[in-house]
Amino acid sequence: MFRIGGDLEVGRLGFGAMHLAVDPGPGRENSLAVARRAVELGVTLIDTAYMYGMGGNEELLAEALHPYPDGVLVTTKVGVARSGASSEWKLDARPAALREQVEQALRRLRVERIELLQLHRLDPRTPLADQIGTLRDLRAEGKIGRIGLSEVTVEELGRAREIVDIASVQNRYNLLDREHEPVLEACEAAGIAFLPWRTVAWGKSGARAEIAAVAAEADATPTQVALAWLLGHSPVLLPIPGTSRIAHLEENLAAERLHLTGAQRLRLDGLSDRDGGDALRGGGEQS
């Protein structure tokens, strides 16, 4: 278990809802079943965002889970929007835009307060003090419980923490891509939850001989090895692997019971691609 912000207790292995289909039809029915199965299996941390289906993912989770069971945290993200002319996603963390996005998220999730709200990206066109200050004000108004950031540097995290307490960081991070190790170290020092996305390197884990070898030794899958490595790498890591299949969901969650030996961890510690890449994404991915 981990206490986000020092008081909000969640299980360390969560669920990223990004891949859940939201359009009417069999795909949506399957998505509802996956979300409900995640909670049945003990997941208490579920990650979504306005960007996932322009709010449709939030509405899907509310349909599947509301009224939310005790202890279940649905965290969402704001700070991106569709541009009117091209319909492309753009960063938009102006104070008025953030306020409107939070109000809409409250409505879609059917809650009066979002216990953990994360800024999907810092908006370079808006002063950081205005972005973080607006979230601080919304927290003071009772619409946000805790504030998180996504895809930030150590320096940006430090500047934000001068304005308000930061409860979580959601950066790309996995066994093969540790570009943000310095950010993880900063989070660990401060007790800040680190929610890695792209947790299994988009399926590349199984292609690495060392990972495949460890998986064979442990009678596990490469995905489970990658997730178990994350859980043991730092106590503040809260992986949020995502999937649209119940079988994958069950495979992912079984990683919490996988014990890697010290020798196996040492072999895995030496692996890293630093493969970069920063699309406007978030949430955990499943191969």
Side-chain angles (χ1 to χ4, degrees):
M1 303 296 285
F2 185 88
R3 288 183 172 85
I4 299 176
D7 62 345
L8 188 60
E9 189 171 79
V10 297
R12 288 191 56 213
L13 192 53
F15 174 67
M18 184 178 77
H19 294 301
L20 297 181
V22 300
D23 293 335
R28 184 181 182 87
E29 293 305 311
N30 175 72
S31 294
L32 294 169
V34 171
R36 289 166 180 154
R37 182 59 176 155
V39 172
E40 288 174 359
L41 292 171
V43 169
T44 54
L45 171 60
I46 300 176
D47 175 81
T48 184
Y50 166 67
M51 188 179 175
Y52 309 159
M54 291 189 292
N57 199 272
E58 295 169 327
E59 292 175 335
L60 175 87
L61 291 174
E63 180 180 344
L65 303 175
H66 190 273
Y68 303 105
D70 290 343
V72 171
L73 167 66
V74 177
T75 173
T76 192
K77 297 181 284 295
V78 296
V80 295
R82 287 275 198 184
S83 62
S86 63
S87 292
E88 294 181 352
W89 290 104
K90 65 176 183 179
L91 300 177
D92 190 354
R94 296 169 298 158
L98 289 179
R99 283 188 168 275
E100 175 62 20
Q101 289 182 38
V102 168
E103 291 293 345
Q104 293 302 318
L106 289 167
R107 177 185 61 78
R108 287 189 294 264
L109 290 170
R110 308 181 198 174
V111 295
E112 295 183 357
R113 183 167 100 154
I114 298 169
E115 293 299 338
L116 175 63
L117 182 93
Q118 301 182 105
L119 187 59
H120 213 142
R121 295 291 187 277
L122 293 177
D123 180 356
R125 296 169 299 180
T126 302
L128 183 140
D130 290 349
Q131 301 175 63
I132 305 302
T134 299
L135 298 181
R136 177 196 59 203
D137 293 345
L138 286 164
R139 189 183 69 174
E141 295 165 18
K143 296 181 178 181
I144 297 173
R146 295 151 198 84
I147 297 166
L149 304 173
S150 181
E151 286 303 298
V152 292
T153 65
V154 172
E155 187 269 341
E156 289 167 339
L157 174 60
R159 289 170 55 204
R161 293 183 66 209
E162 293 174 357
I163 300 169
V164 72
D165 293 337
I166 299 299
S168 69
V169 167
Q170 187 167 328
N171 280 20
R172 187 191 68 250
Y173 187 88
N174 58 62
L175 173 57
L176 298 179
D177 177 6
R178 302 178 217 169
E179 176 183 350
H180 295 295
E181 191 78 32
V183 181
L184 173 59
E185 291 172 357
C187 287
E188 188 170 335
I192 295 171
F194 189 111
L195 283 60
W197 62 274
R198 199 185 292 176
T199 51
V200 293
W202 282 356
K204 292 195 300 179
S205 298
R208 294 296 290 264
E210 199 67 63
I211 300 174
V214 171
E217 293 169 9
D219 192 22
T221 66
T223 290
Q224 290 171 336
V225 169
L227 292 171
W229 179 86
L230 284 170
L231 290 169
H233 184 59
S234 169
V236 304
L237 277 170
L238 278 60
I240 45 172
T243 181
S244 60
R245 304 185 205 175
I246 287 179
H248 277 163
L249 171 70
E250 294 174 346
E251 174 191 353
N252 290 343
L253 296 179
E256 199 161 21
R257 301 188 296 274
L258 176 60
H259 172 72
L260 298 176
T261 67
Q264 289 169 337
R265 286 196 169 277
L266 282 175
R267 288 155 59 191
L268 297 172
D269 286 346
L271 302 176
S272 178
D273 283 345
R274 288 180 166 270
D275 57 357
D278 179 26
L280 267 180
R281 293 179 178 267
E285 284 84 24
Q286 165 71 47
S287 57

